[in-house]
Amino acid sequence: MRPLPGALGVAAAAALWLLLLLLPRTRADEHEHTYQDKEEVVLWMNTVGPYHNRQETYKYFSLPFCVGSKKSISHYHETLGEALQGVELEFSGLDIKFKDDVMPATYCEIDLDKEKRDAFVYAIKNHYWYQMYIDDLPIWGIVGEADENGEDYYLWTYKKLEIGFNGNRIVDVNLTSEGKVKLVPNTKIQMSYSVKWKKSDVKFEDRFDKYLDPSFFQHRIHWFSIFNSFMMVIFLVGLVSMILMRTLRKDYARYSKEEEMDDMDRDLGDEYGWKQVHGDVFRPSSHPLIFSSLIGSGCQIFAVSLIVIIVAMIEDLYTERGSMLSTAIFVYAATSPVNGYFGGSLYARQGVSFLFRKEMDKADVYWGIPYPSYGVWHCLLHQFHSHLLPCFKSHSFWNNGGRLLHLFFCYSSSKSCWYNTWPKSVRFMEPAVIVCLGGILPFGSIFIEMYFIFTSFWAYKIYYVYGFMMLVLVILCIVTVCVTIVCTYFLLNAEDYRWQWTSFLSAASTAIYVYMYSFYYYFFKTKMYGLFQTSFYFGYMAVFSTALGIMCGAIGYMGTSAFVRKIYTNVKID
Ligand SMILES: *[C@@H]1O[C@H](CO)[C@@H](O)[C@H](O)[C@H]1NC(C)=O
């Protein structure tokens, strides 16, 4: 009776998903990226922030910089992803025209009082850099410099822009900061700029290449790590299939031999092993609601990762500000049905189907597990007036939108499995050990890639080797499934039937290792300091690890449940 709505749900979800994925593609109205001679070229001021934490950003004009005299500018759109990343472009007021050189000229004056001086000194002490855009090309410059004894502070006041053009397109921008001026209270500081246009041979399609860093993302290291993980995969798959083939065949042989003995013999015989729990394996897990919400979320996160990586491989998403994040958010909203379908059907299969649509309302509480942590940041960010503040508000919009879809597709086929009315008393093996050990191998297969991903997130590197990321994701899936199957086999053999949570947690414990790795990364690879940066870093990493853990857990559970169903359907139930 139920499979029909389930199938309909999936079909409708697929259609909706396609629709939503196509939506962001249709907005190509921003810039043509072509200019006529003397046409206005806009220099956008973006953010300013400490060099050592790329994610902490403030508005450029939160520092008391002055604005140029030009006031009117052409219309500009912001995308959602830009807003979420804290990109909020403001016009610099500089007069720049295509192929029109500007001799060094003062564009404005800063009236430096004590307060403004302190602001600059603080920024210089913390190695603040600012970021600007010309025709979507990012430009970075340093705010100022301190002398060795740290008493005098200097501001760079002269921006020397060199812009390369190829035909009617801008293909290259270089910024040189000059004109060091000492910060003395109650003086006037003149800000100046010059623009030089140069013919360039760089092709428009290749203009982002200079921002990529092939020597950092060395392909050799990647191949090496992939090769390494691949060996591990082969080894693991071999191991798993060997264990299962041999022991399962032996087990089946033993069990069927026992069946031929008469009842008397069997009562005396020592039946042991996984078959003993056949009456209990399909018992619902404890806390079925939380469990199915986690599995649903994990499936969704997996779908999002997969789709975003594929899209990123096809289109070079890094060339457009925030497009990566926009895509991820759209895909996240569009894949909510995946969450609803897997979570809902699992919940229904746990035998509580008649209530479950009402219960799914409650599931949203768990579904939004990462959200409370945003709340904590919200306070912190408010405290520090960070530039990112407004962006967190739009999260609730996506949360609610997704929730609607999610509830809508919570139909499923409910096929409850038979299980004993009274649970068998278990000889508990220590699942905690299994859980802790389970994450090591999956972590081992991804940690080299983690280094590159962390570095591109926290430092000024642009990640562009999505092909490798895809390979690593595939390897991660295989390793996770293999490891959890082995873990579950041992668990069931010890006649402990509580495999659902164990399989989920043993795969999810990868996250613990990733989080531990992030500590190492923090202390040895970044130069962040202070309460704000530290909480910022560990908060983001906690959310990242949690998401990764839920994803791995769901993958592990899915693989294991297929395995469990397979071995127990071959057993004759007496
Ligand atoms: C920018 O700097 C690079 C490296 O120094 C140079 O190759 C390129 O020609 C410069 N571009 C312009 C437009 O000056």
Side-chain angles (χ1 to χ4, degrees):
M1 188 179 90
R2 282 298 186 79
L4 191 61
L8 271 179
V10 168
L16 202 85
W17 174 82
L18 269 177
L19 196 77
L20 271 173
L21 202 68
L22 288 176
L23 272 181
R25 302 268 149 264
T26 52
R27 47 147 186 98
D29 58 345
E30 267 170 29
H31 277 295
E32 305 273 287
H33 295 298
T34 57
Y35 296 88
Q36 278 142 22
D37 288 6
K38 307 241 174 201
E39 193 178 329
E40 170 186 74
V41 177
V42 183
L43 177 70
W44 295 100
M45 302 319 246
N46 182 21
T47 53
V48 58
Y51 181 69
H52 300 306
N53 181 2
R54 183 185 174 177
Q55 301 298 329
E56 182 191 342
T57 54
Y58 306 90
K59 275 185 197 158
Y60 177 79
F61 288 108
S62 66
L63 281 181
F65 285 116
C66 56
V67 190
S69 49
K70 194 161 183 265
K71 292 283 178 282
S72 65
I73 38 159
S74 47
H75 184 60
Y76 190 73
H77 287 288
E78 252 185 63
T79 64
L80 176 73
E82 284 178 2
L84 286 178
Q85 268 181 351
V87 174
E88 204 174 298
L89 302 177
E90 279 175 279
F91 180 47
S92 59
L94 297 195
D95 193 9
I96 301 174
K97 295 199 178 77
F98 192 65
K99 287 208 237 173
D100 193 12
D101 286 356
V102 177
M103 288 295 120
T106 302
Y107 64 87
C108 65
E109 244 178 20
I110 303 173
D111 234 339
L112 198 71
D113 53 19
K114 173 108 188 21
E115 203 179 311
K116 286 183 182 169
R117 181 184 181 267
D118 290 347
F120 278 124
V121 167
Y122 177 82
I124 293 167
K125 262 191 196 158
N126 289 288
H127 310 279
Y128 271 38
W129 283 58
Y130 58 86
Q131 199 205 17
M132 315 182 284
Y133 282 104
I134 275 192
D135 194 46
D136 282 356
L137 285 172
I139 314 164
W140 286 277
I142 190 164
V143 171
E145 221 178 65
D147 66 359
E148 298 91 53
N149 49 33
E151 277 161 20
D152 293 332
Y153 294 92
Y154 300 91
L155 190 71
W156 294 109
T157 59
Y158 174 44
K159 293 182 182 57
K160 191 169 141 196
L161 286 165
E162 288 175 317
I163 309 177
F165 62 91
N166 187 351
N168 56 359
R169 289 158 177 266
I170 293 175
V171 292
D172 188 15
V173 185
N174 287 348
L175 169 75
T176 322
S177 294
E178 289 175 10
K180 215 157 74 163
V181 172
K182 192 170 161 183
L183 289 170
V184 182
N186 305 319
T187 51
K188 282 191 194 308
I189 291 181
Q190 299 191 326
M191 304 296 284
S192 52
Y193 79 113
S194 72
V195 182
K196 195 160 171 50
W197 291 86
K198 287 183 182 170
K199 219 170 158 47
S200 167
D201 298 330
V202 178
K203 284 205 202 70
F204 180 73
E205 298 76 43
D206 301 335
R207 63 185 192 148
F208 276 93
D209 285 359
K210 78 167 192 177
Y211 299 99
L212 308 180
D213 189 350
S215 65
F216 177 72
F217 292 100
Q218 263 182 31
H219 283 209
R220 205 136 44 93
I221 293 185
H222 270 109
W223 282 121
F224 176 73
S225 91
I226 297 274
F227 181 73
N228 233 355
S229 314
F230 201 69
M231 285 291 121
M232 193 160 85
V233 165
I234 292 179
F235 172 73
L236 265 175
V237 172
L239 189 77
V240 171
S241 41
M242 210 171 69
I243 291 183
L244 296 186
M245 289 295 172
R246 293 193 57 173
T247 51
L248 285 182
R249 202 177 326 126
K250 238 192 270 166
D251 292 346
Y252 284 135
R254 184 158 55 81
Y255 289 142
S256 57
K257 205 159 77 212
E258 277 161 7
E259 239 139 57
E260 284 156 20
M261 293 188 258
D262 52 37
D263 287 344
M264 185 67 174
D265 270 353
R266 202 180 321 161
D267 283 344
L268 296 176
D270 53 343
E271 262 200 18
Y272 61 93
W274 52 265
K275 196 200 167 189
Q276 289 304 82
V277 287
H278 68 77
D280 290 302
V281 277
F282 296 113
R283 178 177 296 289
S285 58
S286 56
H287 310 289
L289 185 57
I290 304 179
F291 188 70
S292 32
S293 319
L294 283 173
I295 298 295
S297 302
C299 293
Q300 187 187 6
I301 295 169
F302 177 67
V304 172
S305 324
L306 200 69
I307 294 164
V308 169
I309 293 175
I310 290 172
V311 172
M313 275 163 73
I314 296 168
E315 304 186 19
D316 292 337
L317 285 185
Y318 56 82
T319 55
E320 224 180 293
R321 282 187 304 275
S323 57
M324 185 81 193
L325 201 63
S326 311
T327 313
I329 289 163
F330 272 101
V331 174
Y332 187 76
T335 50
S336 305
V338 174
N339 187 342
Y341 183 71
F342 284 100
S345 65
L346 180 64
Y347 192 59
R349 241 183 291 133
Q350 311 261 347
V352 245
S353 56
F354 56 94
L355 262 180
F356 95 100
R357 285 193 53 195
K358 205 169 137 204
E359 291 282 302
M360 279 323 272
D361 275 333
K362 272 193 251 156
D364 283 329
V365 177
Y366 305 108
W367 186 58
I369 279 171
Y371 291 99
S373 39
Y374 282 123
V376 176
W377 281 332
H378 207 286
C379 298
L380 261 173
L381 292 169
H382 212 36
Q383 193 71 26
F384 288 88
H385 300 291
S386 176
H387 188 194
L388 282 167
L389 180 64
C391 77
F392 288 99
K393 293 189 181 133
S394 33
H395 267 290
S396 64
F397 165 69
W398 290 101
N399 196 2
N400 289 330
R403 180 179 298 174
L404 271 178
L405 287 172
H406 169 76
L407 276 176
F408 189 69
F409 290 106
C410 270
Y411 294 101
S412 67
S413 55
S414 73
K415 196 175 68 187
S416 296
C417 285
W418 173 88
Y419 55 88
N420 285 349
T421 319
W422 301 107
K424 197 177 169 63
S425 64
V426 277
R427 274 192 269 145
F428 284 134
M429 168 173 178
E430 207 39 78
V433 180
I434 290 185
V435 166
C436 288
L437 294 180
I440 292 179
L441 285 179
F443 171 70
S445 67
I446 56 169
F447 83 97
I448 294 182
E449 203 59 28
M450 281 295 128
Y451 173 73
F452 291 106
I453 293 170
F454 287 2
T455 307
S456 59
F457 189 76
W458 295 109
Y460 291 87
K461 299 268 183 226
I462 297 176
Y463 193 94
Y464 64 97
V465 284
Y466 289 99
F468 284 112
M469 207 192 242
M470 187 71 192
L471 267 179
V472 170
L473 184 69
V474 170
I475 288 175
L476 175 68
C477 288
I478 299 174
V479 173
T480 307
V481 169
C482 289
V483 167
T484 42
I485 286 180
V486 173
C487 289
T488 308
Y489 178 76
F490 285 131
L491 188 86
L492 291 174
N493 237 0
E495 296 178 19
D496 188 339
Y497 60 85
R498 304 165 304 167
W499 60 276
Q500 283 123 324
W501 273 105
T502 315
S503 67
F504 177 83
L505 289 175
S506 64
S509 68
T510 311
I512 299 173
Y513 293 100
V514 170
Y515 200 55
M516 271 159 36
Y517 179 67
S518 81
F519 275 78
Y520 164 80
Y521 187 87
Y522 179 82
F523 288 110
F524 294 101
K525 301 288 176 192
T526 71
K527 290 183 180 157
M528 294 186 213
Y529 54 87
L531 172 70
F532 183 59
Q533 294 195 354
T534 311
S535 60
F536 202 99
Y537 176 88
F538 287 108
Y540 261 94
M541 283 307 188
V543 169
F544 173 76
S545 306
T546 311
L548 187 81
I550 294 176
M551 182 182 91
C552 289
I555 294 170
Y557 170 77
M558 287 294 180
T560 316
S561 81
F563 163 74
V564 168
R565 245 175 286 135
K566 180 114 191 75
I567 64 172
Y568 283 97
T569 44
N570 284 357
V571 159
K572 273 205 213 104
I573 293 163
D574 41 30

